[in-house]
Amino acid sequence: MAARPGSQGGRRVPEDTRCEAHREPLRLFCDDDQTLLCGRCRAQQHDGHAVYGVQEAAGGYRRLFQELLNASREKLGVAESMLADERDRMATVQGEEQDFKEMIESEYRIRFQLMVEEMNFQSLEGCVFNLNVRENGLNQLMEFATELKEKSQETLQRLNVLGKENMNKLKESEVRLSEQICGLQRITAELEKKCGDYTLALLQNARCSVERSESLLRQCLEPAQITDLSLCLVTGMSRMLNILQRAVTLDPKTAHPCLVLSEDLRSVSLRNVQQDIPGSPGRFVFGATVLGVEGFTSGRHYWEVDVEKATKWQLGISEDSASSDGDLPAASRDKFLLTGSVMGTDYTFWVFPPLKRVFLRGEQMHKVGVFLDREYGQVAFYDVTNRSLIYNFSSLAFRGAVRPIFSLCIPSGGTSSDSLSICFPHVSPCDVNVSP
């Protein structure tokens, strides 16, 4: 009678085991039946089967176990790394949800403030002193405030639902990956033991070990597919931004030597060779950056920049730490920036500080709007092309004058024709009477 390698109650088969029926050494292994054989067993019961010498069979399985062990260790490392990433994503998603919540609330506050300013502007423009007209205006403002509140609550509710869905998906992914890791750890330990076993012990339950290993290794490791929270970002832009748009110009005294400014000081482009220009305390020397001439110490301000001809750019504001004379070294300025980068057909956007990626929908961005509210400490970036909010900073505490900032990326090799252009205001500042 042939002896199965695992037939003795799970005990190891000694190397000198003999066939119970014929009392001959078990020197053969039937791979079809996973059975140890003597010479007479093969002739009587296993004719036509895949039969090998035990050393040859053990050698083949040992090589297979080693391959599976290597694959198992590799996949275990990937699974552990993915699990760590999923746990990091949980914290990130919670932080992103809070950031989006603050951005949405801040944007609706901005819109209400701009609506109030728009109504004040219309009153001043028309010299409206009629009490009935003023009462109608107040009623419109109340209706607008109610509408804004409802939209804000609706957007925040949608954000909350998406945030919970994303967190549930991540938790399910965490459980699934944890179970896969436990399985991979068990099979890795089993394979390590198999690879170290002697000949007959290695053949015990060999095929079962292979099948269990292959089954686990075939399982896909996939991170959770979560929904982009940018779906909840606020669309549309206030009409008052057109009235607040400023005719910003560039300050040659701050321009990096690689930058060329247009005669009207409204466009900046890269030059492949640095210009020989006199030094200045406020000149940027490490990055292809230039500041706007205007320094804002109060009020609300807005400007637009055409970024279509730039592959990598930065826009935002730069604040003088203590003074508004513009002569501070560039490194001593506090900055709030939006960075855009184009590589082929892929577009990426980052904000600073802190450095974080912003995920946006839509196609290439052609124009970016920058809004500054000194009184409420807000800086907002808008996609003018698609008329939607990109990102906003709120609750900022400004100390010195705030100036627009514009940057291009100096290429590491070759040439670049990147350029930025400040857009002309839709409404001439001379034609309106608004507070600075």
Side-chain angles (χ1 to χ4, degrees), residues 365-395:
M365 197 175 297
H366 301 302
K367 287 183 181 179
V368 175
V370 185
F371 172 72
L372 166 67
D373 189 329
R374 283 291 310 239
E375 181 181 354
Y376 288 93
Q378 294 171 323
V379 176
F381 298 97
Y382 296 94
D383 178 354
V384 179
T385 309
N386 297 308
R387 299 194 62 78
S388 61
L389 174 69
I390 300 171
Y391 192 87
N392 65 32
F393 296 93
S394 59
S395 302

PDB file of all heavy atoms in Angstrom, residues 365-395:
ATOM      1  N   MET A 365      -6.306  75.671 -17.742  1.00  0.00           N
ATOM      2  CA  MET A 365      -6.676  76.955 -17.168  1.00  0.00           C
ATOM      3  C   MET A 365      -6.006  78.065 -17.987  1.00  0.00           C
ATOM      4  O   MET A 365      -4.794  78.046 -18.185  1.00  0.00           O
ATOM      5  CB  MET A 365      -6.214  77.003 -15.713  1.00  0.00           C
ATOM      6  CG  MET A 365      -6.855  78.066 -14.890  1.00  0.00           C
ATOM      7  SD  MET A 365      -6.332  77.910 -13.179  1.00  0.00           S
ATOM      8  CE  MET A 365      -6.998  76.321 -12.761  1.00  0.00           C
ATOM      9  N   HIS A 366      -6.802  79.027 -18.473  1.00  0.00           N
ATOM     10  CA  HIS A 366      -6.250  80.111 -19.282  1.00  0.00           C
ATOM     11  C   HIS A 366      -6.037  81.389 -18.465  1.00  0.00           C
ATOM     12  O   HIS A 366      -5.055  82.099 -18.664  1.00  0.00           O
ATOM     13  CB  HIS A 366      -7.170  80.412 -20.465  1.00  0.00           C
ATOM     14  CG  HIS A 366      -7.381  79.228 -21.366  1.00  0.00           C
ATOM     15  ND1 HIS A 366      -6.343  78.578 -21.984  1.00  0.00           N
ATOM     16  CD2 HIS A 366      -8.509  78.573 -21.737  1.00  0.00           C
ATOM     17  CE1 HIS A 366      -6.811  77.584 -22.713  1.00  0.00           C
ATOM     18  NE2 HIS A 366      -8.121  77.548 -22.567  1.00  0.00           N
ATOM     19  N   LYS A 367      -6.979  81.677 -17.584  1.00  0.00           N
ATOM     20  CA  LYS A 367      -6.868  82.877 -16.760  1.00  0.00           C
ATOM     21  C   LYS A 367      -7.113  82.531 -15.304  1.00  0.00           C
ATOM     22  O   LYS A 367      -8.000  81.742 -14.987  1.00  0.00           O
ATOM     23  CB  LYS A 367      -7.886  83.935 -17.204  1.00  0.00           C
ATOM     24  CG  LYS A 367      -7.561  84.614 -18.521  1.00  0.00           C
ATOM     25  CD  LYS A 367      -8.589  85.696 -18.824  1.00  0.00           C
ATOM     26  CE  LYS A 367      -8.306  86.373 -20.151  1.00  0.00           C
ATOM     27  NZ  LYS A 367      -9.328  87.412 -20.461  1.00  0.00           N
ATOM     28  N   VAL A 368      -6.328  83.159 -14.425  1.00  0.00           N
ATOM     29  CA  VAL A 368      -6.471  82.969 -12.987  1.00  0.00           C
ATOM     30  C   VAL A 368      -6.773  84.323 -12.360  1.00  0.00           C
ATOM     31  O   VAL A 368      -6.105  85.323 -12.667  1.00  0.00           O
ATOM     32  CB  VAL A 368      -5.189  82.374 -12.366  1.00  0.00           C
ATOM     33  CG1 VAL A 368      -5.309  82.308 -10.848  1.00  0.00           C
ATOM     34  CG2 VAL A 368      -4.913  80.989 -12.934  1.00  0.00           C
ATOM     35  N   GLY A 369      -7.793  84.368 -11.512  1.00  0.00           N
ATOM     36  CA  GLY A 369      -8.119  85.578 -10.775  1.00  0.00           C
ATOM     37  C   GLY A 369      -7.625  85.477  -9.342  1.00  0.00           C
ATOM     38  O   GLY A 369      -7.708  84.421  -8.722  1.00  0.00           O
ATOM     39  N   VAL A 370      -7.086  86.563  -8.824  1.00  0.00           N
ATOM     40  CA  VAL A 370      -6.597  86.621  -7.442  1.00  0.00           C
ATOM     41  C   VAL A 370      -7.377  87.699  -6.702  1.00  0.00           C
ATOM     42  O   VAL A 370      -7.424  88.855  -7.143  1.00  0.00           O
ATOM     43  CB  VAL A 370      -5.087  86.932  -7.389  1.00  0.00           C
ATOM     44  CG1 VAL A 370      -4.586  86.865  -5.948  1.00  0.00           C
ATOM     45  CG2 VAL A 370      -4.295  85.988  -8.276  1.00  0.00           C
ATOM     46  N   PHE A 371      -7.987  87.320  -5.582  1.00  0.00           N
ATOM     47  CA  PHE A 371      -8.777  88.258  -4.782  1.00  0.00           C
ATOM     48  C   PHE A 371      -8.142  88.410  -3.413  1.00  0.00           C
ATOM     49  O   PHE A 371      -7.777  87.424  -2.767  1.00  0.00           O
ATOM     50  CB  PHE A 371     -10.210  87.739  -4.627  1.00  0.00           C
ATOM     51  CG  PHE A 371     -11.037  88.540  -3.654  1.00  0.00           C
ATOM     52  CD1 PHE A 371     -11.479  89.812  -3.963  1.00  0.00           C
ATOM     53  CD2 PHE A 371     -11.363  88.009  -2.404  1.00  0.00           C
ATOM     54  CE1 PHE A 371     -12.249  90.549  -3.063  1.00  0.00           C
ATOM     55  CE2 PHE A 371     -12.133  88.730  -1.496  1.00  0.00           C
ATOM     56  CZ  PHE A 371     -12.572  90.006  -1.826  1.00  0.00           C
ATOM     57  N   LEU A 372      -8.010  89.645  -2.972  1.00  0.00           N
ATOM     58  CA  LEU A 372      -7.426  89.958  -1.660  1.00  0.00           C
ATOM     59  C   LEU A 372      -8.401  90.800  -0.868  1.00  0.00           C
ATOM     60  O   LEU A 372      -8.899  91.826  -1.358  1.00  0.00           O
ATOM     61  CB  LEU A 372      -6.108  90.712  -1.842  1.00  0.00           C
ATOM     62  CG  LEU A 372      -5.534  91.401  -0.601  1.00  0.00           C
ATOM     63  CD1 LEU A 372      -5.083  90.380   0.439  1.00  0.00           C
ATOM     64  CD2 LEU A 372      -4.382  92.327  -0.986  1.00  0.00           C
ATOM     65  N   ASP A 373      -8.678  90.375   0.354  1.00  0.00           N
ATOM     66  CA  ASP A 373      -9.486  91.163   1.296  1.00  0.00           C
ATOM     67  C   ASP A 373      -8.639  91.392   2.531  1.00  0.00           C
ATOM     68  O   ASP A 373      -8.450  90.490   3.353  1.00  0.00           O
ATOM     69  CB  ASP A 373     -10.778  90.420   1.646  1.00  0.00           C
ATOM     70  CG  ASP A 373     -11.745  91.295   2.444  1.00  0.00           C
ATOM     71  OD1 ASP A 373     -11.268  92.162   3.202  1.00  0.00           O
ATOM     72  OD2 ASP A 373     -12.964  91.095   2.318  1.00  0.00           O
ATOM     73  N   ARG A 374      -8.091  92.592   2.654  1.00  0.00           N
ATOM     74  CA  ARG A 374      -7.214  92.895   3.786  1.00  0.00           C
ATOM     75  C   ARG A 374      -7.977  92.861   5.097  1.00  0.00           C
ATOM     76  O   ARG A 374      -7.473  92.366   6.111  1.00  0.00           O
ATOM     77  CB  ARG A 374      -6.591  94.285   3.595  1.00  0.00           C
ATOM     78  CG  ARG A 374      -5.451  94.355   2.604  1.00  0.00           C
ATOM     79  CD  ARG A 374      -4.232  93.628   3.114  1.00  0.00           C
ATOM     80  NE  ARG A 374      -3.864  94.019   4.456  1.00  0.00           N
ATOM     81  CZ  ARG A 374      -2.699  94.528   4.804  1.00  0.00           C
ATOM     82  NH1 ARG A 374      -1.782  94.745   3.880  1.00  0.00           N
ATOM     83  NH2 ARG A 374      -2.427  94.817   6.061  1.00  0.00           N
ATOM     84  N   GLU A 375      -9.192  93.388   5.102  1.00  0.00           N
ATOM     85  CA  GLU A 375      -9.946  93.530   6.353  1.00  0.00           C
ATOM     86  C   GLU A 375     -10.259  92.175   6.967  1.00  0.00           C
ATOM     87  O   GLU A 375     -10.118  91.976   8.182  1.00  0.00           O
ATOM     88  CB  GLU A 375     -11.247  94.288   6.084  1.00  0.00           C
ATOM     89  CG  GLU A 375     -12.081  94.506   7.343  1.00  0.00           C
ATOM     90  CD  GLU A 375     -13.367  95.248   7.040  1.00  0.00           C
ATOM     91  OE1 GLU A 375     -13.554  95.690   5.887  1.00  0.00           O
ATOM     92  OE2 GLU A 375     -14.191  95.387   7.967  1.00  0.00           O
ATOM     93  N   TYR A 376     -10.682  91.219   6.139  1.00  0.00           N
ATOM     94  CA  TYR A 376     -11.073  89.908   6.651  1.00  0.00           C
ATOM     95  C   TYR A 376      -9.963  88.859   6.517  1.00  0.00           C
ATOM     96  O   TYR A 376     -10.166  87.692   6.838  1.00  0.00           O
ATOM     97  CB  TYR A 376     -12.333  89.411   5.931  1.00  0.00           C
ATOM     98  CG  TYR A 376     -13.577  90.168   6.330  1.00  0.00           C
ATOM     99  CD1 TYR A 376     -14.001  91.270   5.605  1.00  0.00           C
ATOM    100  CD2 TYR A 376     -14.312  89.796   7.454  1.00  0.00           C
ATOM    101  CE1 TYR A 376     -15.144  91.982   5.968  1.00  0.00           C
ATOM    102  CE2 TYR A 376     -15.446  90.497   7.830  1.00  0.00           C
ATOM    103  CZ  TYR A 376     -15.855  91.583   7.086  1.00  0.00           C
ATOM    104  OH  TYR A 376     -16.974  92.281   7.456  1.00  0.00           O
ATOM    105  N   GLY A 377      -8.798  89.257   6.033  1.00  0.00           N
ATOM    106  CA  GLY A 377      -7.669  88.333   5.939  1.00  0.00           C
ATOM    107  C   GLY A 377      -7.932  87.162   5.006  1.00  0.00           C
ATOM    108  O   GLY A 377      -7.705  86.013   5.372  1.00  0.00           O
ATOM    109  N   GLN A 378      -8.404  87.471   3.785  1.00  0.00           N
ATOM    110  CA  GLN A 378      -8.739  86.416   2.829  1.00  0.00           C
ATOM    111  C   GLN A 378      -7.983  86.609   1.523  1.00  0.00           C
ATOM    112  O   GLN A 378      -7.817  87.724   1.036  1.00  0.00           O
ATOM    113  CB  GLN A 378     -10.248  86.422   2.545  1.00  0.00           C
ATOM    114  CG  GLN A 378     -11.085  86.045   3.764  1.00  0.00           C
ATOM    115  CD  GLN A 378     -12.560  86.268   3.521  1.00  0.00           C
ATOM    116  OE1 GLN A 378     -12.957  87.226   2.869  1.00  0.00           O
ATOM    117  NE2 GLN A 378     -13.390  85.383   4.052  1.00  0.00           N
ATOM    118  N   VAL A 379      -7.522  85.474   0.961  1.00  0.00           N
ATOM    119  CA  VAL A 379      -6.924  85.445  -0.370  1.00  0.00           C
ATOM    120  C   VAL A 379      -7.576  84.292  -1.117  1.00  0.00           C
ATOM    121  O   VAL A 379      -7.562  83.151  -0.635  1.00  0.00           O
ATOM    122  CB  VAL A 379      -5.395  85.239  -0.327  1.00  0.00           C
ATOM    123  CG1 VAL A 379      -4.827  85.115  -1.744  1.00  0.00           C
ATOM    124  CG2 VAL A 379      -4.720  86.378   0.411  1.00  0.00           C
ATOM    125  N   ALA A 380      -8.158  84.574  -2.290  1.00  0.00           N
ATOM    126  CA  ALA A 380      -8.858  83.544  -3.055  1.00  0.00           C
ATOM    127  C   ALA A 380      -8.326  83.518  -4.479  1.00  0.00           C
ATOM    128  O   ALA A 380      -7.996  84.564  -5.054  1.00  0.00           O
ATOM    129  CB  ALA A 380     -10.366  83.796  -3.055  1.00  0.00           C
ATOM    130  N   PHE A 381      -8.241  82.291  -5.034  1.00  0.00           N
ATOM    131  CA  PHE A 381      -7.828  82.099  -6.426  1.00  0.00           C
ATOM    132  C   PHE A 381      -9.010  81.529  -7.204  1.00  0.00           C
ATOM    133  O   PHE A 381      -9.674  80.586  -6.743  1.00  0.00           O
ATOM    134  CB  PHE A 381      -6.640  81.138  -6.508  1.00  0.00           C
ATOM    135  CG  PHE A 381      -5.404  81.627  -5.805  1.00  0.00           C
ATOM    136  CD1 PHE A 381      -5.110  81.212  -4.507  1.00  0.00           C
ATOM    137  CD2 PHE A 381      -4.531  82.505  -6.428  1.00  0.00           C
ATOM    138  CE1 PHE A 381      -3.976  81.653  -3.853  1.00  0.00           C
ATOM    139  CE2 PHE A 381      -3.391  82.968  -5.781  1.00  0.00           C
ATOM    140  CZ  PHE A 381      -3.115  82.539  -4.489  1.00  0.00           C
ATOM    141  N   TYR A 382      -9.246  82.089  -8.391  1.00  0.00           N
ATOM    142  CA  TYR A 382     -10.370  81.657  -9.209  1.00  0.00           C
ATOM    143  C   TYR A 382      -9.893  81.201 -10.593  1.00  0.00           C
ATOM    144  O   TYR A 382      -8.961  81.790 -11.171  1.00  0.00           O
ATOM    145  CB  TYR A 382     -11.380  82.786  -9.391  1.00  0.00           C
ATOM    146  CG  TYR A 382     -12.037  83.220  -8.106  1.00  0.00           C
ATOM    147  CD1 TYR A 382     -11.529  84.283  -7.363  1.00  0.00           C
ATOM    148  CD2 TYR A 382     -13.170  82.573  -7.638  1.00  0.00           C
ATOM    149  CE1 TYR A 382     -12.131  84.690  -6.182  1.00  0.00           C
ATOM    150  CE2 TYR A 382     -13.786  82.966  -6.449  1.00  0.00           C
ATOM    151  CZ  TYR A 382     -13.258  84.022  -5.731  1.00  0.00           C
ATOM    152  OH  TYR A 382     -13.850  84.414  -4.560  1.00  0.00           O
ATOM    153  N   ASP A 383     -10.552  80.162 -11.102  1.00  0.00           N
ATOM    154  CA  ASP A 383     -10.382  79.770 -12.490  1.00  0.00           C
ATOM    155  C   ASP A 383     -11.357  80.622 -13.298  1.00  0.00           C
ATOM    156  O   ASP A 383     -12.559  80.341 -13.340  1.00  0.00           O
ATOM    157  CB  ASP A 383     -10.695  78.277 -12.648  1.00  0.00           C
ATOM    158  CG  ASP A 383     -10.590  77.802 -14.093  1.00  0.00           C
ATOM    159  OD1 ASP A 383     -10.386  78.644 -14.991  1.00  0.00           O
ATOM    160  OD2 ASP A 383     -10.739  76.587 -14.320  1.00  0.00           O
ATOM    161  N   VAL A 384     -10.841  81.670 -13.917  1.00  0.00           N
ATOM    162  CA  VAL A 384     -11.702  82.607 -14.632  1.00  0.00           C
ATOM    163  C   VAL A 384     -12.316  81.941 -15.857  1.00  0.00           C
ATOM    164  O   VAL A 384     -13.454  82.229 -16.235  1.00  0.00           O
ATOM    165  CB  VAL A 384     -10.906  83.870 -15.035  1.00  0.00           C
ATOM    166  CG1 VAL A 384     -11.787  84.847 -15.807  1.00  0.00           C
ATOM    167  CG2 VAL A 384     -10.321  84.541 -13.797  1.00  0.00           C
ATOM    168  N   THR A 385     -11.568  81.022 -16.475  1.00  0.00           N
ATOM    169  CA  THR A 385     -12.058  80.328 -17.675  1.00  0.00           C
ATOM    170  C   THR A 385     -13.346  79.571 -17.376  1.00  0.00           C
ATOM    171  O   THR A 385     -14.330  79.659 -18.114  1.00  0.00           O
ATOM    172  CB  THR A 385     -10.991  79.362 -18.203  1.00  0.00           C
ATOM    173  OG1 THR A 385      -9.743  80.053 -18.347  1.00  0.00           O
ATOM    174  CG2 THR A 385     -11.405  78.764 -19.540  1.00  0.00           C
ATOM    175  N   ASN A 386     -13.325  78.800 -16.284  1.00  0.00           N
ATOM    176  CA  ASN A 386     -14.492  77.995 -15.912  1.00  0.00           C
ATOM    177  C   ASN A 386     -15.354  78.656 -14.838  1.00  0.00           C
ATOM    178  O   ASN A 386     -16.328  78.058 -14.384  1.00  0.00           O
ATOM    179  CB  ASN A 386     -14.029  76.605 -15.423  1.00  0.00           C
ATOM    180  CG  ASN A 386     -13.333  75.816 -16.513  1.00  0.00           C
ATOM    181  OD1 ASN A 386     -13.869  75.668 -17.600  1.00  0.00           O
ATOM    182  ND2 ASN A 386     -12.134  75.333 -16.228  1.00  0.00           N
ATOM    183  N   ARG A 387     -14.943  79.865 -14.409  1.00  0.00           N
ATOM    184  CA  ARG A 387     -15.684  80.634 -13.408  1.00  0.00           C
ATOM    185  C   ARG A 387     -15.979  79.796 -12.164  1.00  0.00           C
ATOM    186  O   ARG A 387     -17.139  79.515 -11.821  1.00  0.00           O
ATOM    187  CB  ARG A 387     -16.989  81.190 -14.010  1.00  0.00           C
ATOM    188  CG  ARG A 387     -16.764  82.123 -15.172  1.00  0.00           C
ATOM    189  CD  ARG A 387     -17.998  82.921 -15.531  1.00  0.00           C
ATOM    190  NE  ARG A 387     -18.428  83.790 -14.438  1.00  0.00           N
ATOM    191  CZ  ARG A 387     -17.859  84.949 -14.114  1.00  0.00           C
ATOM    192  NH1 ARG A 387     -16.800  85.375 -14.789  1.00  0.00           N
ATOM    193  NH2 ARG A 387     -18.329  85.672 -13.108  1.00  0.00           N
ATOM    194  N   SER A 388     -14.915  79.385 -11.500  1.00  0.00           N
ATOM    195  CA  SER A 388     -15.063  78.581 -10.289  1.00  0.00           C
ATOM    196  C   SER A 388     -13.906  78.856  -9.341  1.00  0.00           C
ATOM    197  O   SER A 388     -12.819  79.290  -9.755  1.00  0.00           O
ATOM    198  CB  SER A 388     -15.124  77.089 -10.624  1.00  0.00           C
ATOM    199  OG  SER A 388     -13.928  76.671 -11.261  1.00  0.00           O
ATOM    200  N   LEU A 389     -14.151  78.579  -8.070  1.00  0.00           N
ATOM    201  CA  LEU A 389     -13.120  78.755  -7.042  1.00  0.00           C
ATOM    202  C   LEU A 389     -12.070  77.656  -7.175  1.00  0.00           C
ATOM    203  O   LEU A 389     -12.395  76.486  -7.373  1.00  0.00           O
ATOM    204  CB  LEU A 389     -13.768  78.681  -5.658  1.00  0.00           C
ATOM    205  CG  LEU A 389     -12.824  78.709  -4.451  1.00  0.00           C
ATOM    206  CD1 LEU A 389     -12.168  80.079  -4.320  1.00  0.00           C
ATOM    207  CD2 LEU A 389     -13.577  78.344  -3.170  1.00  0.00           C
ATOM    208  N   ILE A 390     -10.800  78.047  -7.064  1.00  0.00           N
ATOM    209  CA  ILE A 390      -9.704  77.079  -7.028  1.00  0.00           C
ATOM    210  C   ILE A 390      -9.347  76.773  -5.581  1.00  0.00           C
ATOM    211  O   ILE A 390      -9.342  75.621  -5.148  1.00  0.00           O
ATOM    212  CB  ILE A 390      -8.455  77.616  -7.761  1.00  0.00           C
ATOM    213  CG1 ILE A 390      -8.770  77.918  -9.223  1.00  0.00           C
ATOM    214  CG2 ILE A 390      -7.304  76.621  -7.649  1.00  0.00           C
ATOM    215  CD1 ILE A 390      -7.645  78.644  -9.945  1.00  0.00           C
ATOM    216  N   TYR A 391      -9.064  77.810  -4.817  1.00  0.00           N
ATOM    217  CA  TYR A 391      -8.649  77.640  -3.421  1.00  0.00           C
ATOM    218  C   TYR A 391      -8.718  79.007  -2.753  1.00  0.00           C
ATOM    219  O   TYR A 391      -8.570  80.040  -3.415  1.00  0.00           O
ATOM    220  CB  TYR A 391      -7.221  77.089  -3.347  1.00  0.00           C
ATOM    221  CG  TYR A 391      -6.818  76.613  -1.965  1.00  0.00           C
ATOM    222  CD1 TYR A 391      -7.090  75.316  -1.552  1.00  0.00           C
ATOM    223  CD2 TYR A 391      -6.178  77.466  -1.060  1.00  0.00           C
ATOM    224  CE1 TYR A 391      -6.744  74.864  -0.285  1.00  0.00           C
ATOM    225  CE2 TYR A 391      -5.828  77.028   0.207  1.00  0.00           C
ATOM    226  CZ  TYR A 391      -6.120  75.731   0.591  1.00  0.00           C
ATOM    227  OH  TYR A 391      -5.782  75.292   1.851  1.00  0.00           O
ATOM    228  N   ASN A 392      -8.954  79.015  -1.453  1.00  0.00           N
ATOM    229  CA  ASN A 392      -8.835  80.283  -0.733  1.00  0.00           C
ATOM    230  C   ASN A 392      -8.199  80.080   0.626  1.00  0.00           C
ATOM    231  O   ASN A 392      -8.315  79.024   1.238  1.00  0.00           O
ATOM    232  CB  ASN A 392     -10.169  81.026  -0.630  1.00  0.00           C
ATOM    233  CG  ASN A 392     -11.204  80.295   0.199  1.00  0.00           C
ATOM    234  OD1 ASN A 392     -10.888  79.592   1.149  1.00  0.00           O
ATOM    235  ND2 ASN A 392     -12.477  80.459  -0.160  1.00  0.00           N
ATOM    236  N   PHE A 393      -7.493  81.102   1.044  1.00  0.00           N
ATOM    237  CA  PHE A 393      -6.918  81.179   2.387  1.00  0.00           C
ATOM    238  C   PHE A 393      -7.784  82.149   3.184  1.00  0.00           C
ATOM    239  O   PHE A 393      -8.209  83.182   2.673  1.00  0.00           O
ATOM    240  CB  PHE A 393      -5.486  81.717   2.347  1.00  0.00           C
ATOM    241  CG  PHE A 393      -4.505  80.844   1.615  1.00  0.00           C
ATOM    242  CD1 PHE A 393      -4.247  81.055   0.268  1.00  0.00           C
ATOM    243  CD2 PHE A 393      -3.840  79.822   2.258  1.00  0.00           C
ATOM    244  CE1 PHE A 393      -3.340  80.269  -0.412  1.00  0.00           C
ATOM    245  CE2 PHE A 393      -2.921  79.022   1.587  1.00  0.00           C
ATOM    246  CZ  PHE A 393      -2.666  79.245   0.243  1.00  0.00           C
ATOM    247  N   SER A 394      -8.040  81.812   4.446  1.00  0.00           N
ATOM    248  CA  SER A 394      -8.856  82.693   5.277  1.00  0.00           C
ATOM    249  C   SER A 394      -8.196  82.898   6.635  1.00  0.00           C
ATOM    250  O   SER A 394      -7.252  82.183   7.001  1.00  0.00           O
ATOM    251  CB  SER A 394     -10.265  82.114   5.451  1.00  0.00           C
ATOM    252  OG  SER A 394     -10.213  80.834   6.043  1.00  0.00           O
ATOM    253  N   SER A 395      -8.709  83.881   7.364  1.00  0.00           N
ATOM    254  CA  SER A 395      -8.239  84.201   8.725  1.00  0.00           C
ATOM    255  C   SER A 395      -6.738  84.509   8.743  1.00  0.00           C
ATOM    256  O   SER A 395      -6.019  84.115   9.668  1.00  0.00           O
ATOM    257  CB  SER A 395      -8.554  83.042   9.687  1.00  0.00           C
ATOM    258  OG  SER A 395      -9.939  82.759   9.704  1.00  0.00           O
TER     259      SER A 395
END
